[in-house]
Amino acid sequence: MPQWCTRQVFRCFKCLERFADRLTGAAGPVFVTLAVGLLSTGLFCFVEVILPSLPWPWLTTPICLLIALNLFAHYYYVCTVSPGFVNEPPRSPGFGLLWAKRRDGARARPLTGVRWSEDLHVTRAATSRCRKCGQMRPERSHHCRICNRCVLKYDHHCPVRINQCVGLHNERHFVLFMVYLVIASFCYAFFGWKHVLIGLGWFNEPWPYFAPPMAFLLTYILAVVLCLAVSAMAGWHLYMVAGGETSVETQDHEHYRKIAKQRGEAFVNCYDLGWRKNLELFFNIGTHGYPTYTLLLPLRIEPYTDGTAWARRPGVEQHLGVRPGEELTDEDDEN
């Protein structure tokens, strides 16, 4: 009887969870529209109120506009670029003003597929059949229960901010969006506090700007909150990237470490090539990738792999400390 009650309670919570997923998924466009409106309001208040008061306008104005351009561009990319689904056809190389150009030594290499190089040990990914959609998928792919599709290098589904999954093809834009959001909100909070005092009537001075003082005060409070909250999120994501992990893999690897420790073994992540190489591969910069300045410009670039092969530690073809049958599945991740 107690076990039956426990199962029924668990099923009720799972039903509520799925209902919440559908609700937030349906309301995703509303959240994205709200985010664009808030970002646009903040940009307008910054340009009209704060930007004219900054010193050295010949220097600070281009820098601030570049930060704003990166913020909006990466948010647009992360909302519109498909994360990469398993059943999608191979992507053709991108071209045009929005696409970055590779280094001279790497231009002969294809922009899609695997970035083969002598300094990387790259092997084909193992494949398995998804128990939910029946698709054959390479390793590091997971089934999204909201999209009901398998996503290459699945990180998480974000219904509130971007209304889609974060995966192989848009994860770089997601992280850069958070980084530039932290920089923009910090600049807003750091350079706008004097205008907050004027808006509150601290100096008994009239408010000389077109933007209402209440709108400026509200966006200032929002900027402070976002700076603190998104800093933690961006820092955590960069920490996972430096460790060669996604959000899902971080949880799985913690489970593997406990199992390996119980046997007196050590878990080793085969994708972890060291923090510097992990960051280079994630942003696809370096000798065989794109120039470092692509981190400062709102340009599109392809990932270093098409998701069917991965760079690994030399001599480590799979995680150490994990035995066959102990790998977590999508069903285990949901429990």
Side-chain angles (χ1 to χ4, degrees):
M1 186 66 177
Q3 293 181 354
W4 182 85
C5 293
T6 302
R7 287 196 299 268
Q8 297 306 314
V9 172
F10 180 76
R11 289 177 180 176
C12 290
F13 277 109
K14 294 298 292 184
C15 291
L16 290 175
E17 185 180 22
R18 293 189 180 95
F19 174 76
D21 290 338
R22 293 190 179 94
L23 181 63
T24 53
V30 178
F31 293 133
V32 172
T33 303
L34 178 62
V36 172
L38 292 175
L39 290 174
S40 301
T41 303
L43 177 62
F44 175 78
C45 291
F46 182 87
V47 171
E48 191 203 10
V49 179
I50 300 177
L51 188 60
S53 64
L54 297 181
W56 308 304
W58 56 272
L59 176 64
T60 55
T61 298
I63 293 177
C64 291
L65 294 180
L66 180 61
I67 294 173
L69 181 61
N70 274 281
L71 175 64
F72 279 86
H74 285 297
Y75 186 64
Y76 172 77
Y77 292 148
V78 77
C79 290
T80 57
V81 175
S82 171
F85 296 104
V86 171
N87 56 354
E88 284 184 341
R91 303 197 177 189
S92 58
F95 59 91
L97 295 177
L98 298 180
W99 287 86
K101 294 182 179 180
R102 289 197 168 195
R103 296 181 182 274
D104 293 336
R107 289 183 182 178
R109 305 174 186 269
L111 289 178
T112 56
V114 181
R115 191 193 73 180
W116 302 98
S117 60
E118 297 179 355
D119 63 332
L120 286 178
H121 176 67
V122 182
T123 59
R124 288 290 175 182
T127 58
S128 61
R129 185 175 297 277
C130 178
R131 298 180 182 178
K132 295 185 176 181
C133 64
Q135 289 285 338
M136 293 298 298
R137 60 186 186 181
E139 59 184 279
R140 308 192 81 177
S141 302
H142 286 268
H143 187 91
C144 175
R145 64 189 180 196
I146 300 178
C147 298
N148 198 27
R149 301 174 72 180
C150 284
V151 180
L152 297 170
K153 199 185 178 186
Y154 176 81
D155 189 275
H156 69 285
H157 186 94
C158 185
V160 176
R161 286 168 293 179
I162 66 173
N163 191 35
Q164 71 166 343
C165 289
V166 176
L168 176 65
H169 290 280
N170 65 350
E171 60 179 358
R172 178 181 183 272
H173 299 301
F174 180 76
V175 172
L176 287 177
F177 164 68
M178 289 194 296
V179 170
Y180 278 104
L181 181 58
V182 170
I183 297 174
S185 57
F186 174 80
C187 293
Y188 199 106
F190 183 80
F191 294 110
W193 66 272
K194 292 184 179 180
H195 302 281
V196 170
L197 298 180
I198 297 176
L200 294 174
W202 189 271
F203 300 113
N204 293 324
E205 296 181 7
W207 182 257
Y209 307 105
F210 178 79
M214 183 58 65
F216 178 80
L217 295 175
L218 291 177
T219 53
Y220 184 87
I221 295 174
L222 181 62
V224 173
V225 173
L226 286 176
C227 183
L228 297 176
V230 181
S231 293
M233 294 176 56
W236 176 245
H237 271 79
L238 288 173
Y239 174 78
M240 290 188 295
V241 170
E245 299 175 328
T246 63
S247 297
V248 173
E249 292 171 346
T250 299
Q251 302 175 18
D252 293 349
H253 293 175
E254 186 63 28
H255 175 74
Y256 297 153
R257 289 187 182 94
K258 293 180 181 179
I259 295 178
K261 186 177 181 181
Q262 292 174 357
R263 292 197 296 256
E265 301 175 357
F267 170 78
V268 177
N269 177 14
C270 66
Y271 309 123
D272 186 5
L273 307 180
W275 67 269
R276 182 166 183 171
K277 181 60 67 174
N278 292 336
L279 289 172
E280 286 184 356
L281 290 177
F282 180 85
F283 294 107
N284 201 4
I285 58 176
T287 305
H288 300 285
Y290 292 84
T292 308
Y293 69 75
T294 56
L295 299 175
L296 305 177
L297 298 177
L299 299 173
R300 292 282 311 279
I301 71 170
E302 290 290 335
Y304 86 94
T305 175
D306 60 358
T308 61
W310 298 102
R312 309 175 195 269
R313 290 188 176 193
V316 183
E317 296 299 324
Q318 59 184 4
H319 300 320
L320 300 182
V322 182
R323 297 179 181 177
E326 294 178 343
E327 298 88 351
L328 294 176
T329 62
D330 292 329
E331 289 81 3
D332 297 325
D333 293 336
E334 291 181 4
N335 294 334

